[in-house]
Amino acid sequence: MLAKLAVRYGAAARRSTHILSYDGHRIGAGEPLRSYAMILGAGFEALDTVGALSHSLKEHSRKDLILIDTPGYSAEDFDLSHELSEFLSTYPHVRCPLSPILRGAIIRSISHVERYNTFNPAKLIFTRLDETEVLRRHPQ
C-alpha cells in the first residue's frame, strides 16, 4: 500500500519523496520498500527506534512527501505500539492513515478498529481484504 501511495502522491505528482521503514519487529521488513524506493527515485531509510525516526523526520523535513511504514500490530502485540503512538502525537501535522490488517472474520476485525484511536488516524486503509474468509465466501 505504501509503495502505491509513493507512486500516486510522490512520483506521479513529481514530488520529492522519502520512505521510512519503521518496523524493527520483522527481519528485513523494509527490503521490499527499499527496492520500490530505488525504482521510484525516492529516498529510503530503515529505522528501528523512535529516536532514529525523529532524527530522520527532522533531516528530511524539506521533502515534499515523507511516508512511514509501520509494523502491523495485532491484538496480541498492540502494547508495542505505545511508544510509536506517543511519538506521533508530538507531530500533530502528520496525517496518519492506518492500515489495519483484516484476517479471519471481517466483522470481528472491524469491531476492534477503535484500538487504533491511540494513533489519532486521519483515515483508515483496509488491506488484505482478499484474505478475509467472509468476502471470499460472499463476494459482492
Side-chain angles (χ1 to χ4, degrees):
M1 179 54 69
L2 194 117
K4 290 177 183 179
L5 293 172
V7 169
R8 182 171 185 172
Y9 296 105
R14 299 183 191 272
R15 298 168 78 189
S16 61
T17 303
H18 197 74
I19 297 173
L20 303 174
S21 176
Y22 175 77
D23 190 350
H25 298 93
R26 296 180 303 133
I27 296 172
E31 290 310 307
L33 282 176
R34 182 184 306 277
S35 297
Y36 285 122
M38 193 167 71
I39 292 166
L40 295 172
F44 176 84
E45 285 178 85
L47 310 166
D48 58 358
T49 67
V50 168
L53 179 59
S54 175
H55 176 75
S56 186
L57 286 173
K58 289 173 186 164
E59 183 179 329
H60 298 286
S61 64
R62 296 203 182 271
K63 295 282 184 179
D64 295 326
L65 179 64
I66 299 174
L67 297 168
I68 306 168
D69 182 44
T70 59
Y73 296 110
S74 68
E76 293 80 32
D77 62 6
F78 202 75
D79 58 324
L80 298 173
S81 73
H82 182 70
E83 184 180 22
L84 178 61
S85 65
E86 283 289 313
F87 169 74
L88 290 175
S89 72
T90 65
Y91 283 84
H93 61 285
V94 172
R95 293 184 59 191
C96 199
L98 291 176
S99 179
I101 298 170
L102 301 180
R103 291 194 178 120
I106 193 168
I107 301 305
R108 186 180 68 235
S109 296
I110 289 175
S111 70
H112 295 288
V113 166
E114 67 273 356
R115 78 172 56 111
Y116 294 95
N117 285 340
T118 187
F119 288 98
N120 193 24
K123 298 178 183 194
L124 290 174
I125 301 170
F126 292 95
T127 59
R128 298 187 179 178
L129 293 175
D130 59 320
E131 296 178 18
T132 62
E133 295 170 16
V134 173
L135 291 179
R136 277 189 278 168
R137 279 188 260 146
H138 305 353
Q140 303 272 331

